[in-house]
Amino acid sequence: MLLLLWLPLFPSALAAQPSAPDPIPAPLRGLEFGQLNFLHTTDTHGWLAGHLQEPSYAADWGDYVSFATRIREKVEARGQDLLVIDTGDRVEGNGLYDSSEPKGVYISEILRHQPIDLLTSGNHELYKQNTSEAEFFTTIPNFRGNYIASNIDIFHPGTKELVPLAPRYKKFTTKLQGIRITAFGFLFDFTGNNNRTVVQPVEETIKEDWFQEAIRDKDVDLFLVIGHVPVKSQEYQAIFRAIRSLRWGVPIQFFGGHLHIRDYARYDAKAVGLASGRFMETIGFLSIDGLSTSTPVFKRRYIDNNLFSLRHHSGLDEDGFPTEQGRNVSRLIAESRSALHLDEVHGCAPRDLWMSRVKYPSNDSIYTWLESQVLVDSLKDESRGDTPALAILNTGAIRFDIFQGPFTQDTTFIVSPFTSGFRYVKDVPYDQAQLIVGILNKQPQILRTPRYSPFTPLAPPEQLAYSNDIVADLTVGASKPQQAPLSGQEPELIPGYTTKDDAGTDGDDTVHSPISFYRVPNCIQALVAANASAVPETVDLVYIDFIERHVALAAKFAGLDVNFAQESEVYMPSMTLTDLLLDWVKTHWKCE
Ligand SMILES: *[C@@H]1O[C@H](CO)[C@@H](O)[C@H](O)[C@H]1NC(C)=O
Ligand SMILES: *[C@@H]1O[C@H](CO)[C@@H](O)[C@H](O)[C@H]1NC(C)=O
Ligand SMILES: *[C@@H]1O[C@H](CO)[C@@H](O)[C@H](O)[C@H]1NC(C)=O
Ligand SMILES: *[C@@H]1O[C@H](CO)[C@@H](O)[C@H](O)[C@H]1NC(C)=O
Ligand SMILES: *[C@@H]1O[C@H](CO)[C@@H](O)[C@H](O)[C@H]1NC(C)=O
């Protein structure tokens, strides 16, 4: 399956990807090891090559393999234990996953080289039937015994019977100290899954006999709840209460994700939760000491995923740090990227375009660029002639910033990984069509995702955390990020994560200057018309197909009497947002 092309030989000490930028030295806070130690990744979304345009996050999965080995050696030398955790959304969001056919074949091969002790599914593993089946037939067997699915079932593609996606829970003891652990693996109350899978609401699952029995087991030193669930969520509160109501003395360790943020929750003196960011930017570290005492000590650290940090925490230099296996994995990633032509350059971005680091609308906003340039220049269905169109896009359709410089095949999938196309309804009165975006943006009470509603959020997931007011990690309304001023001997601080969580402001390993964050609307719109100065009477109401249910509901509020199921049609057949964006870049962003 893997097409191995000719590749330059890599010097033995080299790790990370050949084109990755060198790490920038920065002041670091160390790791505080304990009796039981964890490394945690979540929401990696295919970024196993690391960030090739951002030095702070430029280490790759091969470096992480080396790192986990080095940390394991270190803690085991002290008689302590290490567990490696991943909490899902490993798929969708990077060329390494999305640009192969079938999708994900390189990723699953690369992932398996990290010995992961416990892992779960995210929502992205379940949107499409063939993605969840690939999970069932490849990833779960690759990590046999370690993958847990407490609340997910799948219709077995062979027998058609409904079966657990993976075992419901796992009881095991740690290697060196024999700590007795009962582990669960949950997904939040997700409703957008494909109909060959079933996600049981967490609140139902915890009433099941198997769960009730598992938490009544007295021979347990630690309950370990991992999941693709925000650490501050009703789902984790419910699990915490269920366990605590019966087992008031047993420590509970949660690992979570989904919101793409660094976060740490303290439920009580013996129960905490860690969320470790997104996109291989962060490797979460957590240790517990005094497990059997009345006051266990939890220490957390959000590690920036770059070689400067990883070598520092391992206590090893450039030569001592990488393991042979880690180097092999870095090479496998490089070969995979090469086979997929991910470095192929389609154009050159003249400047940085940001999702949330600048105000919307503004010149440096990726959304302003989309509505004022990409859509206006490129959205056109030949069969509609010069009929003006009002196009609506949800901001969550865009997944990452664009950096000045080469816009590659990889960038294409990083910015717009989804396969959504466009649909439209014709002859919609313009004055009513215009109201729709306002409704989608200004009336969150109509369209917010209540539990069990069929609606998926429209804005990027990072903002969900923000709008729920559960993260205070964001400097709002400040100026464009910039280098912190130099003072005395202090090293210059690089802008980056400055996390504030339930344990304070000292969680990040790297001391950074803060980055500003601005709220973006749920949706943006663009009027695409041959004559920009004429106000049309009617328009084609065009939207990304992914948000049809939202648009249909908002249209009703705007007084439109349209049956979207019957009256909408495909706009620009076989054109996805990703294709549209790429075509625009190829035409307009020539490299000098
Ligand atoms: C699922 O099907 C689509 C459409 O045929 C294909 O592009 C994709 O690669 C498939 N994904 C997997 C994981 O097989
Ligand atoms: C399941 O979803 C597929 C694809 O969207 C659809 O064709 C099929 O009718 C659905 N089946 C059921 C039982 O709803
Ligand atoms: C690394 O790759 C080399 C060459 O393919 C192979 O001989 C070696 O066994 C691999 N080492 C590990 C630890 O996987
Ligand atoms: C926005 O960009 C345009 C074109 O590049 C430029 O003419 C204009 O001055 C910029 N506006 C601001 C506020 O920077
Ligand atoms: C564009 O619309 C304006 C305002 O309705 C009108 O005056 C003008 O003639 C139109 N231009 C073209 C080229 O149709």
Side-chain angles (χ1 to χ4, degrees):
M1 184 66 70
L2 301 182
L3 176 63
L4 303 184
L5 299 185
W6 177 86
L7 280 167
L9 292 173
F10 299 110
S12 67
L14 191 74
Q17 291 302 292
S19 66
D22 287 334
I24 302 170
L28 293 181
R29 303 180 180 100
L31 307 185
E32 295 172 75
F33 297 105
Q35 194 181 352
L36 183 56
N37 304 276
F38 298 89
L39 294 176
H40 175 219
T41 50
T42 192
D43 299 84
T44 51
H45 286 288
W47 288 72
L48 302 188
H51 292 235
L52 302 178
Q53 290 174 299
E54 293 174 282
S56 288
Y57 318 114
D60 67 17
W61 191 257
D63 300 314
Y64 181 44
V65 168
S66 297
F67 183 62
T69 302
R70 297 309 185 204
I71 296 298
R72 185 175 287 111
E73 288 166 358
K74 220 170 149 150
V75 303
E76 289 185 355
R78 304 153 62 121
Q80 304 167 335
D81 287 295
L82 175 74
L83 295 174
V84 177
I85 312 276
D86 183 85
T87 48
D89 274 10
R90 290 170 292 274
V91 307
E92 297 183 339
N94 188 286
L96 197 54
Y97 177 85
D98 293 278
S99 74
S100 67
E101 193 54 61
K103 293 177 191 296
V105 285
Y106 292 92
I107 287 287
S108 57
E109 192 52 35
I110 295 162
L111 273 171
R112 61 191 299 223
H113 292 284
Q114 175 73 290
I116 303 178
D117 295 289
L118 290 169
L119 66 167
T120 57
S121 170
N123 50 310
H124 278 264
E125 279 83 0
L126 303 183
Y127 279 110
K128 300 203 165 109
Q129 179 178 340
N130 63 357
T131 316
S132 46
E133 290 177 357
E135 200 68 6
F136 189 63
F137 286 123
T138 307
T139 307
I140 291 170
N142 283 348
F143 291 98
R144 193 176 297 288
N146 296 354
Y147 199 117
I148 13 184
S150 296
N151 64 335
I152 306 171
D153 291 322
I154 186 167
F155 285 97
H156 190 290
T159 67
K160 315 288 179 214
E161 273 174 71
L162 191 64
V163 296
L165 181 70
R168 297 290 188 220
Y169 72 106
K170 175 172 180 171
K171 187 167 181 199
F172 63 103
T173 53
T174 61
K175 183 173 158 193
L176 292 190
Q177 299 160 99
I179 299 166
R180 298 166 302 174
I181 296 177
T182 293
F184 304 102
F186 280 95
L187 174 62
F188 70 93
D189 295 344
F190 175 52
T191 56
N193 53 305
N194 72 78
N195 62 17
R196 309 314 295 157
T197 58
V198 175
V199 180
Q200 188 182 39
V202 170
E203 294 76 358
E204 302 293 317
T205 303
I206 61 179
K207 292 181 198 148
E208 301 246 336
D209 291 345
W210 70 263
F211 183 85
Q212 288 295 324
E213 274 167 37
I215 62 176
R216 281 174 167 79
D217 180 354
K218 293 279 193 305
D219 300 321
V220 175
D221 301 314
L222 174 75
F223 286 105
L224 179 55
V225 182
I226 73 163
H228 195 77
V229 182
V231 289
K232 288 167 187 158
S233 60
Q234 307 177 53
E235 288 92 335
Y236 269 3
Q237 273 300 328
I239 296 170
F240 166 71
R241 280 195 303 265
I243 300 176
R244 207 31 107 231
S245 65
L246 287 169
R247 310 304 309 281
W248 54 268
V250 181
I252 315 171
Q253 177 62 51
F254 290 81
F255 287 94
H258 183 57
L259 292 183
H260 291 186
I261 56 168
R262 295 179 172 187
D263 201 10
Y264 178 79
R266 193 174 176 281
Y267 308 99
D268 68 15
K270 289 186 161 197
V272 305
L274 185 76
S276 303
R278 59 167 197 183
F279 304 160
M280 279 296 282
E281 290 171 350
T282 304
I283 295 168
F285 168 83
L286 190 132
S287 70
I288 315 177
D289 235 1
L291 255 179
S292 56
T293 68
S294 58
T295 51
V297 178
F298 301 88
K299 298 281 182 188
R300 51 86 176 92
R301 193 65 80 218
Y302 310 103
I303 301 169
D304 276 8
N305 181 37
N306 63 69
L307 284 171
F308 180 78
S309 280
L310 302 189
R311 287 174 188 149
H312 174 89
H313 297 308
S314 319
L316 294 165
D317 64 11
E318 193 174 328
D319 296 320
F321 171 73
T323 63
E324 181 183 325
Q325 198 193 4
R327 281 201 308 262
N328 279 3
V329 175
S330 293
R331 191 169 56 232
L332 178 61
I333 295 169
E335 287 164 358
S336 307
R337 295 190 75 259
S338 163
L340 292 168
H341 306 292
L342 292 183
D343 285 326
E344 186 185 331
V345 175
H346 294 305
C348 285
R351 59 183 197 279
D352 296 336
L353 291 171
W354 304 105
M355 292 169 65
S356 57
R357 285 201 202 181
V358 298
K359 282 201 178 94
Y360 164 84
S362 75
N363 266 5
D364 297 327
S365 160
I366 200 165
Y367 301 112
T368 299
W369 167 72
L370 267 178
E371 60 187 12
S372 65
Q373 299 189 46
V374 179
L375 292 175
V376 169
D377 293 339
S378 304
L379 193 88
K380 184 171 174 60
D381 184 311
E382 292 306 331
S383 75
R384 301 298 296 152
D386 276 341
T387 316
L390 186 77
I392 300 179
L393 266 185
N394 63 308
T395 51
I398 296 296
R399 293 290 277 199
F400 209 65
D401 306 316
I402 294 175
F403 298 106
Q404 180 175 12
F407 189 103
T408 65
Q409 177 71 358
D410 203 15
T411 317
T412 314
F413 290 96
I414 286 172
V415 172
S416 174
F418 304 125
T419 49
S420 306
F422 298 92
R423 295 186 68 82
Y424 79 110
V425 173
K426 63 180 77 154
D427 300 330
V428 175
Y430 180 58
D431 52 359
Q432 281 169 303
Q434 257 190 321
L435 301 175
I436 292 175
V437 157
I439 294 166
L440 289 168
N441 288 339
K442 289 196 187 118
Q443 308 225 352
Q445 67 273 26
I446 299 173
L447 294 159
R448 179 188 293 149
T449 35
R451 301 162 70 63
Y452 315 124
S453 96
F455 293 111
T456 37
L458 295 168
E462 294 79 359
Q463 183 158 298
L464 277 181
Y466 176 48
S467 54
N468 289 347
D469 280 327
I470 62 174
V471 197
D473 168 21
L474 305 154
T475 316
V476 181
S479 60
K480 198 169 185 262
Q482 45 185 262
Q483 303 288 94
L486 283 170
S487 66
Q489 324 291 357
E490 295 292 307
E492 189 176 2
L493 296 184
I494 310 160
Y497 283 99
T498 50
T499 309
K500 185 159 168 248
D501 60 26
D502 281 6
T505 55
D506 61 355
D508 302 301
D509 79 326
T510 310
V511 182
H512 282 293
S513 59
I515 287 175
S516 326
F517 179 96
Y518 298 88
R519 183 184 282 279
V520 296
N522 291 331
C523 290
I524 59 170
Q525 67 176 344
L527 177 63
V528 184
N531 184 348
S533 48
V535 177
E537 270 186 29
T538 61
V539 289
D540 288 340
L541 176 66
V542 180
Y543 52 88
I544 287 276
D545 56 17
F546 183 72
I547 62 170
E548 181 165 280
R549 288 184 292 188
H550 298 79
V551 173
L553 184 58
K556 220 173 249 156
F557 280 96
L560 272 168
D561 181 23
V562 176
N563 181 336
F564 278 73
Q566 278 160 25
E567 294 173 52
S568 70
E569 289 172 53
V570 174
Y571 196 80
M572 301 181 87
S574 73
M575 180 69 92
T576 64
L577 173 62
T578 311
D579 301 329
L580 188 85
L581 220 141
L582 182 57
D583 286 353
W584 189 94
V585 166
K586 285 180 177 167
T587 318
H588 293 85
W589 278 352
K590 300 271 186 265
C591 295
E592 295 302 322

